[in-house]
Structure formats: C-alpha cells, structure tokens
Amino acid sequence: MEIRHLLEALYSRYSYDFRHYTPASMKRRVGQAAQALGLQSVPHLEDVLVKSPDRFLEALQYLTIPVSEMFRDATYFISLRERVFPVLQTYPSLKVWIAGCSTGEETYSLAIMLHEAGLLERSTLYATDINPTSLASAARGIFKIVSMRKFTENYQKAGGKRSLSDYYSSDKDLAILDSSLRRNVTFADHSLATDAVFGETQFISCRNVLIYFDRELQDRAIGLFRDSLSRRGFLGLGSKETVEFSKHAHHFAPLVKADRIFQRTS
Ligand SMILES: C[S@@+](CC[C@H](N)C(=O)[O-])C[C@H]1O[C@@H](n2cnc3c(N)ncnc32)[C@H](O)[C@@H]1O
C-alpha cells in the first residue's frame, strides 16, 4: 500500500511511471533506494523524493536496474549474425532501436557486430532509456578495464572476428571505446511506459527490460515494438522474455526461439 502510494506520487511529480512494474522487484528496489538514501520508511522516502529532484535522481539508480554486460548471451549475437544480419544486408539503410540500453554495453556490442558485418556505416542506432545517469554514461563509452576481461570472453564466444581490444584504448583502470562506434548512435530519453512509437525501424533489441514489467506494461511495450517495426522487421528480447503471451503475439513469429528473436509478420 505504501509502495503504491509512493509510485503514484512519483508519477504525478516526475511523470516517471513505475506503477506497472512487477510488485516483487519494485518492493526490493524501493527497499534498496531507502537504504541507500539513509531513510527508514517508505513514507519518509516518498516525502524526500517528492521534495528533491536531486534525491530522486539518486534513487533512480536503485529503482531502475543499471546492470549490463557486453555480448551478454553469446548465442543471441551469433543468431543475429547468422539469421538477422543477412536479411538486413539487403537494405540500403537501417534503423536500429536499442530500448532500455542502460549504460551502453548492449549498444556498443551491437555496433561492433554491425561493423563486422559491414552494416554499421549504413545504420542509424537509437539507444534509449529512462535513467539519465545511465544514458550519460552510455554516451561516454567508458567502462572499467576490469570488466573488459569478461566482455572479451563474451565477445569471443559470440564469434567476434577480431580482438575486442581493437575497439578500445586503455587509460589506467579505464577502457575508452572507439568513438567511431557511436558515430551513428543517438542516445535519448524514452520510456516504454509513457512515450509513443518510434519511426520505422528494421531491428529492435530490448533485452532484460520486459522482465521487470507486469503483463499490462509488457503489452504496451510490445505494441510499441510492433508499431515501430517495418514489415518483416526483427525484435530481439532477453533470454527470459517473450512476446508469446502478449495480446500482440499474433503479429510476430519466432525466428530463433531459443535466442528470443522474433519477426514481425503483420
Ligand atoms: C537490466 S537493464 C538492461 C540493460 C541492457 N538492455 C542489457 O540487457 O544488458 C534494464 C534497463 O531498462 C531500463 N528501463 C526500465 N524501465 C524502462 C522504461 N519504462 N523504458 C525504457 N527503459 C526502461 C532501466 O533504466 C535499465 O537501464
């Protein structure tokens, strides 16, 4: 009840709509936000967040889950290269939407894969999220060097053609990704809960975002994807996500079921 009240208050104060996220994960995250901000109760948290946009921005780090990895789930990227990119090769220009891009790892992974398939130069990528701190970090393209070991392992498993280190330079404990990777990328604020459709895109990658939404919000997001995809366009989801139980399911067919890659059919 207190959490519902908090989510309503955040919606009317900031238009951030967390009201249709799964209750269990929201409860966990509200608890983490309260703890991180040193507040004892949900009503106290609500009071502070409603009064202070700065504190709200801080809390967003807990309310959203800014966790990501480059080349997470190697087989997803292998399936893109083998089943999706050959079709995309036939288009003279491409629009790609990475929804819920977090701090950019998925976007840079896709940029590298598109580059290696000779597609990046003809692509425009839109990478969107609701967390402005994550978006700013994504636009910088700087990761901790310690993370690169795991990312390199993932890249190799994903069938990367070169060495991942070809795409970044090191500076002490940081890895600075090559700026050419984001030449065609626009990082922008967009909420799957409150914003409208994108222009026509040929490929949408939205991974590990729907998992936090209830059925109603998943339907909204999948409806946006359907309306933003060109006919026969592709939708890639996270390993625990699907369009199958959505009211829009009949507009999609599975292309690579195991890797949650779907194609718009109508
Ligand atoms: C766990 S991360 C996934 C990051 C990346 N897609 C990946 O798979 O590595 C979930 C992301 O979804 C974003 N998100 C949450 N609600 C959203 C919404 N309504 N619209 C767009 N993005 C949202 C969060 O801010 C967070 O960055």
Side-chain angles (χ1 to χ4, degrees):
M1 203 56 207
E2 288 177 342
I3 291 183
R4 280 228 68 82
H5 199 275
L6 164 72
L7 301 183
E8 289 292 345
L10 295 182
Y11 180 55
S12 52
R13 173 75 171 90
Y14 298 107
S15 302
Y16 269 76
D17 193 355
F18 292 109
R19 295 174 302 172
H20 289 281
Y21 288 51
T22 57
S25 94
M26 215 57 230
K27 188 174 170 198
R28 236 183 352 261
R29 288 196 256 164
V30 166
Q32 284 170 3
Q35 198 183 11
L37 272 65
L39 304 168
Q40 303 307 323
S41 69
V42 176
H44 193 189
L45 179 69
E46 177 180 324
D47 191 43
V48 168
L49 297 191
V50 165
K51 284 191 185 128
S52 164
D54 287 345
R55 300 290 270 172
F56 173 63
L57 208 56
E58 244 178 272
L60 261 189
Q61 289 305 104
Y62 302 91
L63 299 178
T64 63
I65 303 197
V67 177
S68 193
E69 219 175 78
M70 284 184 86
F71 301 100
R72 172 149 56 174
D73 305 321
T75 59
Y76 175 74
F77 292 92
I78 293 173
S79 292
L80 288 182
R81 208 180 48 240
E82 291 179 353
R83 303 291 303 279
V84 175
F85 290 180
V87 181
L88 298 184
Q89 305 270 12
T90 64
Y91 300 130
S93 68
L94 295 171
K95 280 193 188 153
V96 177
W97 178 17
I98 300 107
C101 67
S102 189
T103 38
E105 289 83 342
E106 182 187 356
T107 305
Y108 288 104
S109 307
L110 288 170
I112 288 170
M113 285 282 154
L114 287 165
H115 169 68
E116 293 183 356
L119 287 169
L120 185 60
E121 291 62 31
R122 71 177 94 158
S123 303
T124 304
L125 282 69
Y126 299 95
T128 60
D129 205 281
I130 55 167
N131 182 332
T133 312
S134 296
L135 281 170
S137 164
R140 280 193 295 275
I142 299 176
F143 300 123
K144 292 198 181 102
I145 201 91
V146 289
S147 311
M148 297 317 276
R149 194 173 310 145
K150 171 83 171 138
F151 296 172
T152 298
E153 216 175 275
N154 292 352
Y155 170 72
Q156 283 159 354
K157 282 191 199 143
K161 290 190 175 161
R162 298 167 54 172
S163 161
L164 189 57
S165 60
D166 291 350
Y167 296 104
Y168 66 86
S169 54
S170 319
D171 185 4
K172 299 193 184 102
D173 53 352
L174 299 176
I176 302 163
L177 291 199
D178 197 317
S179 61
S180 66
L181 292 173
R182 61 175 167 276
R183 194 179 298 140
N184 299 348
V185 184
T186 301
F187 291 98
D189 174 70
H190 180 280
S191 171
L192 295 167
T194 51
D195 290 322
V197 292
F198 251 63
E200 202 167 89
T201 57
Q202 284 71 44
F203 169 42
I204 298 173
S205 190
C206 179
R207 310 199 69 222
N208 309 301
V209 180
L210 296 186
I211 197 170
Y212 302 111
F213 293 177
D214 71 10
R215 180 63 55 80
E216 190 179 329
L217 186 51
Q218 288 192 16
D219 271 342
R220 184 185 198 279
I222 293 166
L224 284 185
F225 298 151
R226 189 254 168 196
D227 293 340
S228 305
L229 277 176
S230 57
R231 248 185 85 78
R232 314 296 298 170
F234 300 95
L235 171 66
L237 301 178
S239 62
K240 298 189 186 73
E241 299 164 335
T242 182
V243 298
E244 276 162 339
F245 307 112
S246 154
K247 68 178 183 195
H248 305 287
H250 58 287
H251 293 296
F252 293 92
L255 180 76
V256 187
K257 207 167 179 174
D259 288 314
R260 312 299 165 129
I261 299 173
F262 302 87
Q263 191 165 19
R264 185 185 151 183
T265 51
S266 63

